[in-house]
Amino acid sequence: MTDTSNLDDVIIIGGGSTGLYTAFYCGMRGMKTKLIESDTELGGKVAKFLPEKLIYDIGGIPQITGDELVKQTIDQAAKHQPTIVQNEWIETIKKNEDGTFSLTSKEGMVHHSKTVIIATGTGKFDTVQPDISNIELYTGKSHHYTMKNPQQYVGKRVMICSNNRIGVDWALTLEGIAEQVYLVNNKKTFQNAADVELEQLDKSSVVVKLASEIGQLDGDEGWLDQIIIKSEQAAVEQIDVDHLLTYHGLKMNPTPFDNWGLETDSNRVVVDHFMATNIEGIFAAGDATSYPGKTMLIASGYTEALTAVNSAKKHLEPNAPSTVYSTVIYRK
Ligand SMILES: Cc1cc2nc3c(=O)[nH]c(=O)nc-3n(C[C@H](O)[C@H](O)[C@H](O)COP(=O)(O)OP(=O)(O)OC[C@H]3O[C@@H](n4cnc5c(N)ncnc54)[C@H](O)[C@@H]3O)c2cc1C
């Protein structure tokens, strides 16, 4: 028998925009809720890919940065105080004889619940570490993997090291903020960069170093003073720098849907119009799902979350209303 003292009504796997909104709505439906996220930070792809980007296509919000959206969604999720577990990667899901589920994480923890909502996207993205010696001494202070909080670069000398269009985007964004921006690329071209971005780069004040690599970092207590650059012709240059941003791509760890016994289509979970999967009691929402007409958008994830939660509620209490109005629930 499942240990009922540790039994949630629902466990949400994934703390991206969809999982966080799911947690809020589970609370609104009066469900004892736990959310499990493998990353150190919540927000999923919105936090990873669009922290400073403006998002324009969410109903009722004319524009909002990814960071602000994540912050607001975390605040909303917290309204009913769900249990939020971070740094745990769910590896297995076992359906018990009594119909409950036991989820085991790679970290060795076991979680029990009556239903499961999968909001994992297609997996977890990790930053590819650059091959620069001693970089870890600076990471978090003057070396960064994302361009969060651009105000910290006001009046500073910033070097960006990347051969990707993300590096071009960061350089052009910081051009008007930093005192000087350097863009170091170990190749001669920028992967995936649009012509218009390269034209903007040409016209900008960004100093671009092609076919060049970072040779050495110099600084004190995590704060950079100088970076030594080596070019293809073996020329060496010392550049005064306050901050270094690196982007060498992301690697994806796919969520093991097949091991969980779920029917999949192109590594996404097949759902019906109730957001039900092929396993009774397991539902899914957001980028994790596959169905005809699926769109990979934040707002689609929210709508699917509502349906998945209402379906999970019905699974727990067949006589529960199919949906509820927040105006009624929170009426003063
Ligand atoms: C560059 C880019 C720009 C975009 N621009 C827009 C836009 O302008 N407007 C828009 O609406 N959408 C946009 N999108 C799409 C949007 O980002 C996604 O639709 C949305 O982030 C999906 O959210 P999600 O929560 O479903 O999945 P994700 O954000 O992928 O979150 C899933 C979470 O689950 C976690 N996870 C996965 N597996 C496990 C596991 N086994 N155990 C524990 N945790 C796990 C992951 O770590 C992750 O945090 C953009 C996407 C990209 C890449």
Side-chain angles (χ1 to χ4, degrees):
M1 276 295 283
T2 309
D3 172 10
T4 48
S5 62
N6 177 21
L7 183 66
D8 286 290
D9 288 331
V10 57
I11 287 183
I12 301 156
I13 313 176
S17 51
T18 306
L20 288 167
Y21 182 69
T22 308
F24 158 71
Y25 199 69
C26 285
M28 213 176 106
R29 298 285 345 235
M31 295 157 82
K32 187 176 175 227
T33 306
K34 184 186 277 181
L35 179 149
I36 303 175
E37 165 57 51
S38 58
D39 213 317
T40 45
E41 68 172 350
L42 296 167
K45 288 203 284 287
V46 175
K48 280 241 152 68
F49 292 103
L50 358 157
E52 299 296 337
K53 288 251 171 200
L54 285 169
I55 301 165
Y56 299 91
D57 48 1
I58 299 173
I61 305 177
Q63 60 175 57
I64 188 165
T65 62
D67 260 353
E68 187 54 28
L69 181 71
V70 169
K71 189 179 162 300
Q72 299 227 26
T73 321
I74 291 173
D75 287 351
Q76 190 179 29
K79 190 171 176 74
H80 297 278
Q81 286 136 21
T83 304
I84 296 195
V85 177
Q86 283 169 258
N87 299 313
E88 276 194 45
W89 171 262
I90 295 301
E91 212 151 52
T92 64
I93 303 180
K94 177 174 161 260
K95 189 162 189 178
N96 303 308
E97 278 184 9
D98 60 3
T100 62
F101 296 92
S102 298
L103 286 67
T104 307
S105 68
K106 194 173 155 201
E107 293 70 22
M109 304 302 285
V110 184
H111 306 270
H112 305 286
S113 76
K114 296 178 191 167
T115 61
V116 176
I117 297 180
I118 292 170
T120 56
T122 50
K124 175 178 179 240
F125 288 90
D126 286 320
T127 311
V128 174
Q129 311 284 316
D131 185 16
I132 302 172
S133 79
N134 291 332
I135 195 158
E136 67 285 354
L137 300 178
Y138 301 92
T139 304
K141 282 190 174 169
S142 56
H143 165 240
H144 317 271
Y145 285 113
T146 58
M147 199 199 56
K148 286 197 173 174
N149 182 18
Q151 290 314 307
Q152 69 183 307
Y153 305 116
V154 172
K156 303 287 183 192
R157 296 154 304 185
V158 180
M159 183 175 285
I160 295 161
C161 180
S162 177
N163 58 32
N164 189 281
R165 70 159 288 270
I166 300 277
V168 177
D169 182 55
W170 289 352
L172 292 173
T173 307
L174 291 181
E175 190 203 0
I177 295 172
E179 183 189 305
Q180 180 63 57
V181 178
Y182 302 90
L183 178 55
V184 177
N185 177 353
N186 62 351
K187 303 231 163 60
K188 288 185 178 155
T189 55
F190 287 95
Q191 205 183 0
N192 301 327
D195 289 347
V196 61
E197 286 174 306
L198 295 173
E199 280 162 28
Q200 287 169 355
L201 188 64
D202 267 350
K203 289 186 192 143
S204 75
S205 64
V206 174
V207 177
V208 182
K209 306 268 179 198
L210 295 176
S212 301
E213 283 181 4
I214 291 184
Q216 191 181 315
L217 304 178
D218 287 325
D220 194 24
E221 297 196 352
W223 296 104
L224 284 160
D225 293 325
Q226 279 193 333
I227 295 183
I228 297 178
I229 300 296
K230 292 187 296 188
S231 74
E232 207 176 43
Q233 297 78 30
V236 170
E237 204 179 338
Q238 277 186 355
I239 301 178
D240 292 340
V241 167
D242 302 299
H243 286 274
L244 170 67
L245 284 94
T246 55
Y247 181 83
H248 290 74
L250 296 166
K251 59 175 187 295
M252 225 265 286
N253 296 314
T255 309
F257 299 134
D258 293 334
N259 296 351
W260 297 351
L262 293 164
E263 186 190 338
T264 56
D265 171 22
S266 307
N267 199 33
R268 293 179 199 270
V269 180
V270 173
V271 288
D272 64 13
H273 55 279
F274 291 106
M275 293 296 130
T277 70
N278 59 309
I279 302 178
E280 204 187 341
I282 303 189
F283 305 86
D287 277 12
T289 63
S290 170
Y291 59 88
K294 165 69 188 158
T295 48
M296 303 293 168
L297 290 168
I298 296 161
S300 329
Y302 293 163
T303 312
E304 292 154 8
L306 297 175
T307 306
V309 174
N310 287 328
S311 300
K313 180 74 179 174
K314 277 284 208 191
H315 177 80
L316 295 173
E317 294 170 35
N319 294 329
S322 304
T323 189
V324 289
Y325 286 138
S326 64
T327 44
V328 175
I329 300 280
Y330 301 119
R331 182 175 280 149
K332 289 261 172 12

